């Protein structure tokens, strides 16, 4: 699982100018784009993620940042990593399925003659756990999404590391 990374950037634009620019960019539907940076914010905070057309991915990284005036421009500080839903999902997924594994094992242990039922009741959730782990691994660490978000900030807001 990819960890969140700290982001500390400076843009020569004021927080208000950044808010207006982001609002204008986000208002453009970009009908022909297969993917784009998308999000929301105002002159105090911004939330951006790299979105692909017709793909919803709660595991994709997003930038959550605050903005404040700094050195004639704006300081953008925050984290770039999985959203709250993306961080919680694996725990909820494996926790929920673990309940079935525990109950299935208890049934086999305490109720005679239920080996087949217990094996099914335990085996299917275990298979779902393996499939979930494989899907999360195949999904990658979101490094391309991170790069796209940071490139967007450099290109549109001239934001550079402090």
């Amino acid at each position: 699982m990819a960890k969140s990374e700290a982001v500390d950037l400076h843009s020569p634009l004021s927080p208000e100018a950044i808010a207006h620019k982001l609002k204008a960019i986000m208002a453009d539907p970009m009908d022909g784009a297969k993917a784009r940076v998308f999000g929301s914010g105002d002159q105090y905070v911004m939330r951006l993620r790299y979105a692909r057309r017709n793909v919803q991915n709660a595991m994709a990284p997003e930038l959550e940042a605050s903005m404040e005036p700094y050195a004639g421009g704006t300081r953008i500080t925050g984290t770039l990593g999985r959203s709250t839903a993306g961080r919680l999902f694996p725990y909820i997924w494996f926790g929920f399925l673990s309940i079935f594994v525990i109950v299935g094992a208890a049934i086999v242990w305490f109720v005679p003659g239920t080996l087949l039922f217990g094996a099914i009741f335990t085996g299917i959730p275990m298979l779902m756990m393996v499939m979930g782990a494989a899907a999360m691994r195949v999904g990658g660490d979101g490094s391309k999404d991170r790069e796209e978000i940071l490139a967007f900030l450099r290109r549109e807001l001239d934001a550079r590391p402090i």
Side-chain angles (χ1 to χ4, degrees):
M1 180 171 9
K3 301 288 183 200
S4 294
E5 65 184 77
V7 173
D8 195 5
L9 305 170
H10 177 264
S11 172
L13 302 172
S14 71
E16 293 79 13
I18 289 176
H20 290 299
K21 190 163 191 170
L22 286 176
K23 186 175 181 179
I25 292 169
M26 298 309 150
D28 181 0
M30 295 186 188
D31 293 328
K34 292 183 180 178
R36 66 177 277 198
V37 172
F38 189 78
S40 62
D42 56 26
Q43 67 265 28
Y44 306 109
V45 296
M46 74 169 68
R47 175 175 272 154
L48 301 174
R49 60 185 318 148
Y50 186 67
R52 290 167 185 77
R53 189 164 305 285
N54 299 323
V55 175
Q56 185 175 359
N57 182 4
M59 304 298 274
E62 72 178 13
L63 171 70
E64 291 184 48
S66 62
M67 297 185 290
E68 60 187 25
Y70 176 80
T74 302
R75 184 173 190 172
I76 302 168
T77 56
T79 57
L80 183 55
R82 285 190 178 158
S83 66
T84 303
R87 287 189 307 269
L88 291 177
F89 178 77
Y91 297 108
I92 294 168
W93 176 260
F94 290 107
F96 177 72
L97 292 174
S98 294
I99 293 169
F100 288 95
V101 172
I102 292 167
V103 169
I107 289 171
V108 169
W109 187 264
F110 293 113
V111 181
T114 59
L115 184 60
L116 179 61
F117 175 76
I120 292 170
F121 202 81
T122 303
I124 292 173
M126 288 178 73
L127 178 64
M128 292 173 68
M129 287 176 160
V130 169
M131 290 172 45
M136 285 181 225
R137 182 171 294 273
V138 168
D141 63 356
S143 58
K144 181 182 183 323
D145 293 0
R146 292 170 195 263
E147 291 170 13
E148 291 291 339
I149 292 169
L150 293 173
F152 171 83
L153 293 171
R154 277 190 304 274
R155 183 178 61 249
E156 300 296 336
L157 307 178
D158 194 25
R160 309 280 181 216
I162 291 182

